[in-house]
Amino acid sequence: MTTNWSLFHKHIGAKPRQFFEVRLLGKAVWHATGMAETWGTDGLDELASPAAAQERYDALCAEAVAAGFTPTRQLEIDLNRLDAALLAAEIRDGARNAFKAMRAAHPDQAMNGFALMSDESAMTIVPVANSEQALAGDGGGDDMRWAPQEWSFFEEGAYLDIAYRMILPYHRDIPNEVDIDALRSWVFGACADALRQLGDEGVFGSGAERDAVSVVFCVADGDCTDDVIEPLNSPASASRFAAYRASWK
């Protein structure tokens, strides 16, 4: 199903704080609002005709702006077509901002890890970071270096709210033909691709600095088969992980 989608946010600085979104679904208009990183509260207005639905859609968008929300995205989305490049770009931009904010919030910490975590149902995207100091406090072992679930900094997920809103329709009562396997492949692949792009940009540094940063995509409640580590890291860092993995045997 193709929908017109408008997403609005209120921000604290550059960080999304509240959202308001509207989707035009033929003769119906779906809308939701709430705090970033939450489902919020939603409603569905059934109208008499597509023209009436368009009028309601436009009115809700105007209400959002009048209430102080800023337009974030206005797109035509085919919910049955999973656009991997679009999702990866949104995740990349949100993750870049999240990592930058984590560094700014903890200037006394030498950040040595960044990860994106999802879940088995591909509903969430959580950015997590770690530091040399936090790792040392946990014993300094490679079992912690490659375990984002145990890392220390995870407070910047709101920067990924746009990507989160792109995923949520597949978990709500909004008509689509996407099955769970396709959804998982889309979300997990886009997360890994976003991290690769950030590495290529130099977000995690270069040379020795890059070698010191562990970059991970993982499914927090999964069996590790969907996790991506070695392709996301520098050769030196990937070799370190490979040696650690070999030690499991």
Side-chain angles (χ1 to χ4, degrees), residues 183-204:
L183 181 64
R184 283 165 46 87
S185 178
W186 181 52
V187 173
F188 299 169
C191 285
D193 191 27
L195 289 169
R196 288 190 195 96
Q197 292 181 43
L198 292 177
D200 290 344
E201 288 179 14
V203 169
F204 308 120

Side-chain angles (χ1 to χ4, degrees), residues 4-93:
N4 289 339
W5 176 49
S6 290
L7 176 63
F8 306 81
H9 281 101
K10 290 182 180 179
H11 298 80
I12 297 178
K15 183 192 293 189
R17 179 173 63 92
Q18 292 176 266
F19 77 92
F20 189 105
E21 64 177 316
V22 190
R23 293 180 184 269
L24 180 62
L25 308 170
K27 294 192 294 183
V29 178
W30 178 89
H31 47 92
T33 190
M35 302 303 294
E37 299 184 84
T38 73
W39 279 45
T41 57
D42 68 327
L44 182 68
D45 299 340
E46 300 279 0
L47 285 305
S49 66
Q54 181 69 61
E55 184 176 352
R56 176 61 174 154
Y57 175 88
D58 293 341
L60 285 168
C61 290
E63 287 178 19
V65 172
F69 288 89
T70 301
T72 304
R73 292 292 181 273
Q74 292 182 309
L75 299 171
E76 186 174 278
I77 298 288
D78 182 350
L79 291 176
N80 296 326
R81 179 178 174 271
L82 300 175
D83 189 330
L86 179 61
L87 181 61
E90 294 291 2
I91 295 171
R92 177 200 64 213
D93 293 349

Side-chain angles (χ1 to χ4, degrees), residues 197-249:
Q197 292 181 43
L198 292 177
D200 290 344
E201 288 179 14
V203 169
F204 308 120
S206 61
E209 182 185 11
R210 179 68 182 88
D211 292 341
V213 179
S214 303
V215 181
V216 179
F217 167 71
C218 73
V219 179
D221 54 351
D223 60 6
C224 297
T225 58
D226 293 301
D227 295 358
V228 182
I229 298 179
E230 288 176 281
L232 303 180
N233 287 273
S234 71
S237 185
S239 293
R240 179 171 185 169
F241 173 73
Y244 166 63
R245 186 177 59 184
S247 73
W248 301 348
K249 304 175 182 178

Side-chain angles (χ1 to χ4, degrees), residues 141-164:
D142 277 345
D143 55 337
M144 296 297 296
R145 183 178 293 276
W146 303 105
Q149 300 92 324
E150 306 298 329
W151 290 358
S152 296
F153 308 110
F154 48 85
E155 65 270 23
E156 305 296 347
Y159 283 106
L160 285 141
D161 199 64
I162 297 173
Y164 183 50

